Amino acid sequence: MKLHTKIVLGLVLGAGSGLAANVWAGTPWVHWVTTNLAGPAGQIVGQIFLRLLLMTVVPLVFTSITLGVAQLGDVRKVGRVGARSLAYFLVSTVISAIIGIVLVNLVRPGVGVPVAVREQLLEAYRGQVAGLQAGGTTKFGVDLFVNIVPRNPFQAAANLDMLGVLFFSLVFGAALTLIPAEKTRALVVLLDAVGDAIIKIIGMAMQLAPYGVFGLIFVVTSLLGWDILQKLLGYVLVVLVGLLLHGAVSLSLLVRFLGGLSPLTFWRRIGPSIVTAFSTSSSNATLPTNIAVAERELKIPPRIAGFVLPLGSTMCHNGTALYEGVTVLFLAQLFGVHLTLGQQVIAVVLSVITAVGTAGVPGGSLPLLMVVCAAVGVPPELVGVVYGVERILDMTRTTLNVCGDLTAAVYVARTESDWDPRLITGDVSLVPAA
Ligand code: ASP
């Protein structure tokens, strides 16, 4: 059975049996089984799944951000094509994150949980992931900026002060670009290998996902029944509508006005990329399809497609940024954590930065999501509540990630080569210069 089928099965079975346990909670033996067997077992499996992801947070952030920044040095050397790609990645990701934050503020899918229920939920999750708290203050102000700079990077890492770790990694990566390449090469290779090993660990944790998802969703639904399922449904819909809006409106407008290409033609031609991304939940795994689609269907020159798309699959994650922002705010609403405008701005900025650092693998953003939570003062252990529905959102956000990369390729091809949208329909052909 495919992993995502198993995960969906885990979700359905976990929610179903949790609901049943909730409905029949008055029956003595159901109550006994839930509190003494199923509940604790669900907690344990769910916790192990979460902890496996959590233990990757520090090394993942350090390697991915350091390498990302170090690579920027190379990208800049590639000149205008590199700079244009990066600028486009950034702009499209910021737009996407903002759409998510606005939607979740308008719809407020997490608001309205009775205080007693909230307490119960907090109780269930408290201590699951002990110790992951943002170091320093989360108030938006001078203090925050001073506290971002850690006194001691190891202490920051040990305290899971993720802003400090992020800052150190950014500076460290920038410093690497300023040292002669022959000195840094070995370190870059080493960091790359460490990063790959961490991604393997995430892959292993995902094998446990069907059971983890079962446990996590069982624990919440057996406690709260329909109430929580309704809230989760609202949250899933907000993410899906946000992704749809970003694709149908903002990416389409970008393709039209920056790429000069009809959005209809664009969406019609990129079907294979959409299907692959949806079924693999991985930008990296979709890369070969994406390159083929760009070259064959959109007639983008190989030198542009071969540069922009690999870069995009590691750095441009529109859907992930939207997902992270919505999730953090949803959790804050659910648990009554009030986030000021300043903290929401931090959430957007961090969603964008961590989306850039996200590995293009299934569940790649999960560890980083905890980072954003911790940084704005939402207890990161609460992400357990949404992990049950995570796979559906992974499939859809990855699709948007991949489509975003293709729009970037269209834009860069339009501005940095003699590519013409009419090549696609065959209305014009490129005659190689004699
Ligand atoms: N699965 C996503 C991708 O490969 C990353 C993530 O958001 O988890 O693009």
Side-chain angles (χ1 to χ4, degrees):
M1 209 192 288
K2 289 242 175 64
L3 183 63
H4 59 255
T5 321
K6 275 199 203 165
I7 296 177
V8 172
L9 211 63
L11 170 67
V12 173
L13 291 179
S17 46
L19 270 185
N22 180 266
V23 171
W24 289 305
T27 322
W29 73 267
V30 173
H31 185 73
W32 189 87
V33 171
T34 310
T35 44
N36 294 305
L37 294 178
Q43 288 273 21
I44 291 170
V45 182
Q47 261 188 55
I48 290 182
F49 171 58
L50 284 184
R51 280 173 176 253
L52 276 175
L53 289 170
L54 246 181
M55 76 178 190
T56 65
V57 166
V58 169
L60 181 69
V61 168
F62 178 65
T63 50
S64 63
I65 300 287
T66 302
L67 280 177
V69 177
Q71 278 163 4
L72 279 187
D74 293 342
V75 172
R76 256 185 272 123
K77 277 192 214 113
V78 187
R80 285 223 320 253
V81 177
R84 250 187 224 284
S85 311
L86 294 181
Y88 183 91
F89 293 166
L90 199 66
V91 169
S92 60
T93 310
V94 169
I95 295 176
S96 178
I98 290 177
I99 290 181
I101 295 279
V102 169
L103 263 188
V104 75
N105 271 307
L106 286 179
V107 181
R108 296 155 62 86
V111 170
V113 179
V115 180
V117 172
R118 184 182 293 159
E119 284 303 315
Q120 251 180 321
L121 258 185
L122 270 174
E123 200 47 55
Y125 284 93
R126 185 166 295 143
Q128 275 208 9
V129 190
L132 184 61
Q133 293 298 337
T137 170
T138 55
K139 297 249 162 50
F140 198 62
V142 180
D143 270 3
L144 178 81
F145 289 103
V146 175
N147 284 337
I148 285 177
V149 185
R151 281 205 194 95
N152 172 346
F154 296 101
Q155 195 181 32
N159 293 340
L160 287 166
D161 160 13
M162 292 319 300
L163 284 180
V165 176
L166 264 176
F167 182 82
F168 181 77
S169 313
L170 284 171
V171 174
F172 191 74
L176 283 183
T177 64
L178 302 173
I179 301 174
E182 59 271 22
K183 275 199 179 165
T184 58
R185 197 164 298 131
L187 181 61
V188 169
V189 171
L190 180 75
L191 285 178
D192 205 24
V194 174
D196 281 357
I198 295 295
I199 288 171
K200 260 277 170 301
I201 297 177
I202 297 178
M204 294 192 284
M206 292 315 278
Q207 295 300 315
L208 208 70
Y211 314 101
V213 161
F214 179 93
L216 291 167
I217 200 96
F218 177 85
V219 171
V220 265
T221 47
S222 63
L223 268 179
L224 303 179
W226 275 117
D227 289 352
I228 193 74
L229 278 188
Q230 276 170 5
K231 297 276 172 235
L232 281 176
L233 192 68
Y235 152 75
V236 169
L237 285 179
V238 168
V239 176
L240 293 184
V241 169
L243 291 174
L244 202 69
L245 273 181
H246 182 60
V249 181
S250 25
L251 287 184
S252 295
L253 287 176
L254 288 172
V255 162
R256 173 110 219 82
F257 292 107
L258 295 184
L261 175 62
S262 136
L264 222 61
T265 312
F266 174 79
W267 293 108
R268 269 208 209 112
R269 297 244 155 191
I270 65 165
S273 292
I274 294 181
V275 175
T276 317
F278 192 76
S279 52
T280 59
S281 293
S282 163
S283 303
N284 289 357
T286 312
L287 182 58
T289 314
N290 231 17
I291 293 183
V293 164
E295 291 178 7
R296 279 195 222 128
E297 298 294 325
L298 302 176
K299 311 284 181 225
I300 291 176
R303 110 187 134 78
I304 300 282
F307 175 80
V308 177
L309 294 173
L311 202 63
S313 78
T314 41
M315 298 185 69
C316 179
H317 298 131
N318 289 189
T320 297
L322 186 147
Y323 158 79
E324 289 187 339
V326 173
T327 306
V328 171
L329 258 78
F330 169 69
L331 289 175
Q333 290 169 355
L334 201 62
F335 291 96
V337 180
H338 177 69
L339 295 188
T340 59
L341 191 64
Q343 283 170 315
Q344 297 205 19
V345 173
I346 300 181
V348 171
V349 172
L350 282 182
S351 297
V352 171
I353 297 180
T354 52
V356 172
T358 289
V361 298
S365 56
L366 297 187
L368 298 167
L369 177 60
M370 299 191 202
V371 172
V372 186
C373 283
V376 295
V378 174
E381 54 265 54
L382 302 181
V383 293
V385 178
V386 291
Y387 271 9
V389 290
E390 135 71 20
R391 185 62 175 207
I392 304 161
L393 301 182
D394 199 2
M395 295 162 86
T396 41
R397 70 176 181 259
T398 306
T399 306
L400 248 276
N401 290 347
V402 162
C403 297
D405 299 345
L406 281 172
T407 62
V410 167
Y411 161 65
V412 175
R414 178 72 195 261
T415 46
E416 293 293 331
S417 73
D418 42 14
W419 177 81
D420 186 308
R422 284 170 301 172
L423 282 169
I424 297 175
T425 44
D427 291 345
V428 77
S429 61
L430 279 186
V431 185

